[in-house]
Structures are given as structure tokens and as C-alpha cells.
Amino acid sequence: MKPLLLLFLIFSSCCTFAQTGGLTGKVEVNGKALAAATVSLKKSSFKTVTPGSGHFTMKNVPVGSYELTVSAVGYLTQKQQLVIVQDSIISVDVALEERTDDLNEVVVTGTMKEVRRLDSPVPVEVYTPAYFKKNPTPSLFESVGLINGVRPQLNCNICNTGDIHINGMEGPYTLILIDGMPIVSSLSTVYGLSGIPNSLVDRIEVVKGPASSLYGSEAMGGVINVITKNPAQAPAFSIDVFGTSWREYNIDAALKFGGKKLQSLLGVNYFNYQHPLDHNNDGFTDVTLQNRISIFNKWNFVRKDKRVASLAARFVNEDRWGGQMNWNKEFRGSDSIYGESIYTRRWELIGLYQLPVKEKIMAQFSYNWHNQNSWYGNSPYMANQQVGFAQLYWDKEMGKRHNFLLGGTYRYTWYDDNTPGTLSADGLVNMPAKTPLPGIFIQDEWKFTDKQTLLAGYRYDHDQYHGSIHSPRLAYKFSPNQKNTLRASFGTGFRVVNLFTEDHAALTGARQVVIAEELKPERSYNGNLNYVTKIPSANFLLGLDVTGFYSYFTNKITGDFDQNPDQIIYANLNGHAISRGISLNTDFTFYFPLKLLAGVTYADVYQLDDHGSGRMKTTQLHAPKWSGNYLASYTFPKDFVLDLTGVFTGTMRLPVQRNDYRPEYSPWFTIANLQLTRKFKNGLEVYGGLKNILGFIPKYALIRSFDPFDKTAADPVANPNGYTFDTEYNYAPLQGRRVFAGLRYNLLKY
């Protein structure tokens, strides 16, 4: 009997251990089925992926205690303990939550109020310092080049001045803001962008398209808003130092201090490059030599009822020059050795104050003083500009559907220089330009259903010379679900050009500036259509962002480089100009530590001008039809991160002279960069890499560099084609490969 009993017990135990159960359920998001979600039992081989219905089933699971894990790209992972009972099927439904790192980002640029990026009826692109750190640069001007559709354009091969183009439109159509204030005025768009400390940047918001109804008549093509860090949330101390094999050195540092009532964040940027190089053997420096320091301090005041109050100040001092290799400051302004030397000094003040009343009424103000002392060869340009700006607006929620904004602005610009731009009509008396510009704006954001929002805005400005300026805007958003959003917008813009502060061609080289008529203000009519979607799969989440844009300009002010090689002739366009195209941004986020980004923009920018013999189509200078960006980032074990970043640029039309041997259109090219970063747990990062790994530099640059003052240009024997010295033929930096290395350190708390 005992052997039989023992066999029975063993058989029963085996049957018990062999018993299995099952698991079934459904994965949902906001009550809707989620496909491509991975369901797994930890410490087992049981794993499945949900189909379109969101249901999952696991059979023949041994009885026991397991941890159920449900994950999907773009969603927060859910973990749940459960016990599978023998001989039964357990039913478990799991609800995932979407990640909030991109959907719940707070943006302000599109509507001048803090809203979730997903809820904004105006498409806003957001870029954090982590994105720009993948290719470290010493200035904001270079950093934004990694953004698809945003292109820093160098306008001079010698002094390396530039502006920022959005969707193929020239730099003056891009409004640069710091904390929502138009602090980067027309004179400083050439040099002021280089002095914003990267250590103080919290994020950069980009609006591609019309924004005149909120930000004034100059926001015709787009807005770049630099949002600085909140001192209360910033690290206690941070520093970023790097150098390159070209002997460029950059230091960015920030320090937080203060008490319970006041927090302060001090940032310093210092950039130094003092090693002239001439790799293309034209006798001129390849890159402008610079010595720049920028100091920025922001104060936040703690007030009752969480009312906001902040004050920020910035000082920039820069000495830059480029020219013939044997130039020094003794030749500044002479006609023997050519050099372009610019001294820049700038002060800025920015303030924000919420009034101590029940309603949300915000007061903002800014002031900037800019002095430029420069010589372009033997041509002086001495300029001073002061801009004061004040704004008061009321932010009011009216019911559950309407979000109302009403405000008034006043901008006063004082500008003086040594050019004909500030002379009296008879040319005998200096008359600094004094331009007051008052305005009012109104905006209503109407969420008439849970999925649809309509934004209507209108702005009225009054200019002393051009009278009333009307800038309406409409924007519509439709979001059937969290993964799909359609936005459409329309708006108008207005701009008056100051040639000598916005067009570098009017200041350099040997061409004579001719203003053919009294210039009228420009008008623009802009339309954008944007679609954003997220497509999940078993291995990655794909994000797509597609935008179509169209802008129509009247009275466009253009410089004619073609009619006379010795002149730049400025006049209002007798016709119209068009900027149209489409851009696509893609974002791949994989389960394993790989992230891919890629973008492409097609822009057709041209003008139709009637010179008396019918309208002639002319392609805009420095406007490539194709451009884009790419990024690949992979994280290895032990916190090593490898980043490949780059931009590619298609052919663009360039300013050539009559019978010029240089091609009128630039070639396709790409500038790629590689960086390896090692991150340590104590906040230290060490990085290094190679910039411009393909070594691309333009084949042609300066013309007649041996005679920059055109002393022998009129000699038909020495110069049979009649060429003149010109610095405007530019489409890419003249720096080839260079190694860089640096370190970062962030101390979160003292």
C-alpha cells in the first residue's frame, strides 16, 4: 500500500504543477483600443503584441504569481501584479497614459498665453537646449541652423554677418523675441543674435507663418522666441566649456542665487577666436576673428497669489574683424589694406509685471540701446539705435469656450547713422529717425467643440508716415484624437525697410547704393496648413509634421544686383512676390535607445517684376529650393551617447557679376557633425567630436581679392570683364573639418 500511496502523491503533484491557466484582456487609451502595445509577463517567455482591436490572449501559462507589463512607444509603461489561478482564464484590462513630454509642453508664442502645445491653434515648434547640445555652437545664430526650414544665412564672406531665414524668406521677415519681447531690433539683427548665453535658454519656440496680429507689423514670415530659464527651476550652477582645433574657445556659465522673496540667475558667455586662417588662399581670413562677452541677469520676484514679476538685463560687447591676412587695427578705415572691423556695444532691459488686481492683467516692457562703430574697408558705418517698448494686455476666460485677449502696445524707435538714410531732403542736416508706433490688438480663442478651436485676431497700428496698419489673423484647429491634429491659419503683415540696418549689401563691397524712388511699405498675405500625426508600431513611434505655406507680397523692396554690376538699385517691386512650399518633419522613437529625426523643406521663392516689357520672373537670391536637417542619436551602455547631426542645402541663386566665372547657382551640399558624449551621475558630461566631417567648403568666394579697393578695376587690360570686388557671393561657411572637445557640469543644489 505504501508504494501505491507514494506513486499517487507523486502523480497528483505532477498534475498540480502541470496545471496551467490563461490571461486575456484589452489595452486602451482614453477608452479606445490601442494597437501595437507589447504585453509581457516578467521572468517568463510569454509576450504578445495587441492587434487593432487592442485585445490580447495568453494561453497555457503555468499557475503562479507574475508581474504584467504593458508598454507602447509614446505611452507610459503600466505594471500590475496578478496571480493566475489554475484551470481558469483571468481577464485584465489595462489603460495606458500618453507621455506628456511633448504633448503637454507649455508654449506661449502662438497665442501670447501659456497653453499646452497640443491645444494651441497655432503650430509651435519647441526646441530645448538638449537638442542643440548635440552639436555645440557658440551662438544662437548657429544653433537654429539645426531646425528644418530655419536657415542662418551668412551675408558677407569677410565679416560673417547674417540673418535668419524661415521657409525661404529673408531675415527681415523673421521677428526675434526674448521672453516675448521684440528686443532684437533691426540694427542688431546683424550682430545681436550672437550674444545670448546658451546657459540661460530654457527653450526656443518657432512659429512659421504670420504672427502680426500679436507681435506687430514685422512678424510677416515667422517668429523665433527665446524663452530664458526660470531662476527658481534652474540648476544652482552650470558651466559648458569647449574649444576647436581652429583655436575657437567658448565658455557658457550660469549661477543661481537669492532667497525666499527673490531668485536671481546670472549667465555669462565668452567667445574668443584670434587665429587668422586662409585655407582657400585668397589672401583673406576664412572666418571673422571675434572677441565677445555677454552678461545676462534675470530676477524673479515672489509675490502673493502667485502673481508674476520678473526683470532681466543683458550687456553685450564684441570686437570682430575680417579682411586681408596682413590687416591690423592700424589700417582701420584706410584704403591700403582691406579689413572690415566692427565694434558693437549693447544694453537690454526686459520686464514683466502682473497687476495686483483680480483680473489677469499683464504689463511688459523692454528697452535696448545699441551702438555700432564699424569700417568696411574705407567706408564708415556709425550707428546708434534706441528702442523702447511697452505692452499691457488683459487675459480673460469667458465661460468654458472663449479665451479672450485684449491689449495695447507702444514702440518708440530712435535711430541715427552717418548714411543718407538719416539726412534731410537737401542732404545738409542730420536728422535722426524718430518713429513712434502705437497699436492695439484683440484675440478670441473659441473652442466651439471639444475637438475644434477657432482663433480670430486683429491688430491696429498707426505709423506717422504710412497711417493706419491693419493686421488680421485667423487660425483653425481640428483634433479628432490625441494622435491627429490639423491646423490652418491666415494673416497679413506690414514692414518698412531700413536698408542700412537690414541689408548688409548696402554697406560692403564696391557697389554704389541707388534708391530709385520713395520706398513704400511692404504688405504680405500669408496662409499655412499644418497636419501632425503620431503612428505607433510594435518597434517605434513615428511622428509626422507636414506644413504647406504660401505668402504673397506687394510693394516688396528688393535690391537689383543684375541691372548694373557697379550698383545695387533699391525700389518697390512693380508686381508681386511669392514664397510657397511644403515642409516635412519626421521623428522616429524606438524601443531600444535610438532616436532619428529628419526634415525636408521645399520652397519656391520668386518675384514677378514689370520693367515695361512684361513681367519677368526672378528667383530670389540665397533661397534654396530644397533644404533639410537630420539627426541620429544612440545611447550605449555606461551612458555613452553618439550623435550625428547635419543639414543639407540644395542649389540657390547667388549674386554674380556680368561675365562672372563663378556659377550663378551653388551646388548641393551637406554639413555633417559627429559627437560622442560620456555622461556621469554627478552631473558631469565630457564630449568631443568632429564638425563638417565631409570637409565641404565653397569652391568660389571673393572676386578680385587682390584689389579690394578697385584701384585698377577700370583698367580694360588688367580687368577686361569689368569685375569689381564683392563680398556677397556666399552660400556656406568657409570652415572645413575641425575637431572639438568640451565638458559640461550641472550642480542641481548647493
Side-chain angles (χ1 to χ4, degrees):
M1 290 293 296
K2 290 183 179 181
L4 292 176
L5 179 61
L6 181 60
L7 289 173
F8 175 77
L9 291 175
I10 294 174
F11 178 76
S12 299
S13 300
C14 292
C15 292
T16 300
F17 286 119
Q19 288 176 341
T20 60
L23 182 66
T24 185
K26 184 179 181 181
V27 180
E28 298 179 331
V29 174
N30 297 325
K32 296 182 179 180
L34 178 64
T38 300
V39 183
S40 61
L41 297 179
K42 193 173 181 180
K43 295 182 179 180
S44 78
S45 60
F46 290 90
K47 184 177 182 180
T48 186
V49 177
T50 60
S53 64
H55 288 94
F56 64 90
T57 301
M58 294 182 182
K59 297 180 179 180
N60 300 319
V61 179
V63 173
S65 178
Y66 298 92
E67 181 181 271
L68 176 69
T69 301
V70 181
S71 60
V73 177
Y75 300 89
L76 297 175
T77 299
Q78 293 290 333
K79 297 180 180 179
Q80 180 178 344
Q81 293 287 339
L82 64 106
V83 175
I84 298 177
V85 181
Q86 64 181 43
D87 296 330
S88 64
I89 300 294
I90 300 297
S91 179
V92 179
D93 292 337
V94 180
L96 294 186
E97 296 181 6
E98 296 196 65
R99 288 187 176 274
T100 60
D101 50 0
D102 58 347
L103 296 175
N104 285 342
E105 283 177 327
V106 174
V107 296
V108 297
T109 308
T111 60
M112 203 182 284
K113 57 180 65 183
E114 291 189 348
V115 296
R116 286 198 321 156
R117 181 184 175 192
L118 182 67
D119 294 335
S120 174
V122 178
V124 181
E125 298 180 18
V126 181
Y127 299 90
T128 64
Y131 179 75
F132 299 116
K133 286 177 182 178
K134 297 181 182 300
N135 178 38
T137 63
S139 71
L140 173 64
F141 177 81
E142 295 180 50
S143 296
V144 296
L146 277 180
I147 301 174
N148 181 32
V150 178
R151 183 174 179 273
Q153 169 61 42
L154 291 176
N155 296 323
C156 176
N157 276 320
I158 297 179
C159 64
N160 292 163
T161 59
D163 50 26
I164 296 177
H165 295 197
I166 293 181
N167 288 341
M169 299 173 66
E170 299 102 314
Y173 299 100
T174 300
L175 181 64
I176 309 295
L177 306 173
I178 300 180
D179 288 335
M181 292 285 94
I183 202 70
V184 182
S185 52
S186 58
L187 180 60
S188 64
T189 53
V190 178
Y191 302 104
L193 291 175
S194 299
I196 301 175
N198 292 334
S199 57
L200 290 187
V201 176
D202 178 68
R203 66 187 187 276
I204 294 177
E205 298 181 3
V206 180
V207 174
K208 299 173 182 176
S212 293
S213 66
L214 282 184
Y215 295 105
S217 55
E218 295 180 357
M220 296 171 68
V223 175
I224 296 177
N225 192 4
V226 182
I227 309 295
T228 59
K229 292 179 180 178
N230 183 338
Q233 301 172 357
F237 173 73
S238 65
I239 188 169
D240 189 343
V241 181
F242 75 88
T244 74
S245 56
W246 278 50
R247 302 186 192 178
E248 301 164 294
Y249 304 105
N250 185 78
I251 300 175
D252 247 311
L255 176 67
K256 181 175 72 173
F257 55 92
K260 295 182 178 180
K261 296 295 184 180
L262 174 67
Q263 292 104 28
S264 179
L265 184 62
L266 173 66
V268 178
N269 170 255
Y270 179 69
F271 177 71
N272 186 280
Y273 171 60
Q274 301 294 324
H275 184 59
L277 292 174
D278 178 26
H279 288 311
N280 63 354
N281 299 315
D282 62 1
F284 278 72
T285 54
D286 292 336
V287 180
T288 301
L289 283 78
Q290 299 178 49
N291 187 12
R292 180 183 69 244
I293 186 168
S294 174
I295 303 173
F296 191 103
N297 205 153
K298 184 175 183 179
W299 300 269
N300 270 18
F301 302 89
V302 179
R303 301 173 61 205
K304 293 181 179 179
D305 300 321
K306 296 183 179 180
R307 294 190 179 97
V308 298
S310 66
L311 187 67
R314 181 169 75 120
F315 170 73
V316 181
N317 189 78
E318 182 185 71
D319 176 4
R320 70 161 63 193
W321 75 270
Q324 292 179 284
M325 291 292 289
N326 56 342
W327 186 92
N328 59 56
K329 292 185 178 181
E330 295 180 0
F331 298 104
R332 196 171 193 260
S334 73
D335 64 352
S336 55
I337 305 297
Y338 189 92
E340 296 186 2
S341 171
I342 302 99
Y343 301 151
T344 302
R345 182 166 292 184
R346 179 175 176 84
W347 290 93
E348 299 170 352
L349 188 66
I350 306 171
L352 171 65
Y353 182 77
Q354 184 176 354
L355 299 187
V357 296
K358 183 178 180 180
E359 297 292 338
K360 187 177 181 180
I361 301 178
M362 311 295 291
Q364 294 176 289
F365 65 89
S366 66
Y367 169 79
N368 67 78
W369 174 88
H370 189 107
N371 174 264
Q372 184 174 319
N373 179 327
S374 52
W375 284 89
Y376 300 90
N378 58 352
S379 299
Y381 177 61
M382 309 295 171
N384 283 280
Q385 184 176 53
Q386 299 181 65
V387 180
F389 179 84
Q391 178 170 272
L392 186 71
Y393 66 90
W394 175 39
D395 184 356
K396 177 69 174 178
E397 289 189 12
M398 295 187 174
K400 296 182 179 180
R401 296 293 185 182
H402 290 269
N403 206 317
F404 186 73
L405 201 68
L406 176 66
T409 67
Y410 184 83
R411 184 174 67 182
Y412 184 85
T413 304
W414 184 94
Y415 173 78
D416 189 23
D417 64 21
N418 64 317
T419 74
T422 54
L423 287 178
S424 59
D426 57 11
L428 300 177
V429 180
N430 185 54
M431 297 180 64
K434 301 174 182 178
T435 309
L437 187 63
I440 57 173
F441 61 88
I442 186 172
Q443 176 181 278
D444 181 30
E445 186 177 337
W446 177 26
K447 191 172 184 179
F448 54 92
T449 71
D450 292 337
K451 298 180 180 180
Q452 299 183 78
T453 302
L454 180 68
L455 181 143
Y458 170 78
R459 183 183 180 101
Y460 172 82
D461 295 288
H462 187 272
D463 183 84
Q464 60 182 345
Y465 300 110
H466 306 293
S468 298
I469 309 164
H470 305 276
S471 302
R473 177 172 70 162
L474 282 174
Y476 169 76
K477 181 182 76 75
F478 174 59
S479 297
N481 50 53
Q482 293 274 355
K483 293 188 180 68
N484 296 276
T485 301
L486 177 69
R487 296 180 175 94
S489 61
F490 170 81
T492 66
F494 162 90
R495 190 176 73 93
V496 176
V497 174
N498 186 331
L499 299 178
F500 298 95
T501 64
E502 296 177 353
D503 196 337
H504 187 265
L507 301 173
T508 61
R511 297 187 189 231
Q512 177 187 1
V513 175
V514 177
I515 302 176
E517 60 187 10
E518 182 179 352
L519 299 177
K520 300 176 183 179
E522 295 184 353
R523 299 284 311 185
S524 73
Y525 306 88
N526 314 79
N528 281 27
L529 185 64
N530 171 257
Y531 175 65
V532 179
T533 185
K534 292 184 178 295
I535 305 173
S537 73
N539 298 313
F540 61 84
L541 175 68
L542 170 62
L544 296 176
D545 188 331
V546 186
T547 302
F549 54 90
Y550 184 93
S551 299
Y552 181 96
F553 297 88
T554 60
N555 292 334
K556 192 173 189 296
I557 300 173
T558 60
D560 187 346
F561 290 76
D562 305 319
Q563 187 172 335
N564 188 326
D566 298 324
Q567 296 178 337
I568 308 172
I569 304 173
Y570 289 97
N572 285 111
L573 191 66
N574 185 20
H576 64 271
I578 298 292
S579 173
R580 61 185 181 181
I582 188 170
S583 68
L584 169 66
N585 288 318
T586 61
D587 180 349
F588 289 86
T589 302
F590 293 85
Y591 276 131
F592 52 95
L594 173 66
K595 188 175 182 65
L596 301 177
L597 298 174
V600 61
T601 296
Y602 171 81
D604 186 19
V605 187
Y606 63 91
Q607 61 190 37
L608 294 173
D609 196 5
D610 191 347
H611 294 285
S613 58
R615 290 189 174 180
M616 181 176 65
K617 181 178 179 180
T618 305
T619 302
Q620 180 181 291
L621 295 170
H622 297 119
K625 284 197 172 184
W626 293 97
S627 63
N629 67 333
Y630 50 90
L631 182 151
S633 182
Y634 189 87
T635 302
F636 293 92
K638 298 184 179 180
D639 292 324
F640 281 95
V641 181
L642 183 65
D643 295 305
L644 172 68
T645 60
V647 296
F648 64 88
T649 307
T651 60
M652 70 180 83
R653 182 170 172 261
L654 302 170
V656 295
Q657 300 186 27
R658 190 175 302 164
N659 299 320
D660 204 326
Y661 61 88
R662 301 171 299 181
E664 185 178 5
Y665 284 85
S666 64
W668 280 77
F669 67 91
T670 183
I671 295 179
N673 315 287
L674 196 64
Q675 175 181 265
L676 180 64
T677 304
R678 172 68 161 93
K679 298 181 179 181
F680 299 89
K681 294 182 179 180
N682 60 358
L684 177 67
E685 295 182 13
V686 179
Y687 60 90
L690 187 64
K691 289 181 178 287
N692 195 2
I693 57 180
L694 299 179
F696 176 82
I697 58 173
K699 183 177 180 180
Y700 303 98
L702 297 174
I703 192 170
R704 287 184 59 82
S705 59
F706 57 86
D707 185 20
F709 295 99
D710 285 337
K711 293 182 178 180
T712 62
D715 186 343
V717 177
N719 187 22
N721 292 306
Y723 296 148
T724 57
F725 179 70
D726 188 10
T727 67
E728 301 305 310
Y729 189 93
N730 184 284
Y731 56 91
L734 290 173
Q735 284 182 299
R737 296 184 188 90
R738 58 198 188 279
V739 177
F740 69 94
L743 62 87
R744 304 184 187 98
Y745 177 69
N746 285 287
L747 177 64
L748 298 181
K749 295 182 180 180
Y750 290 117

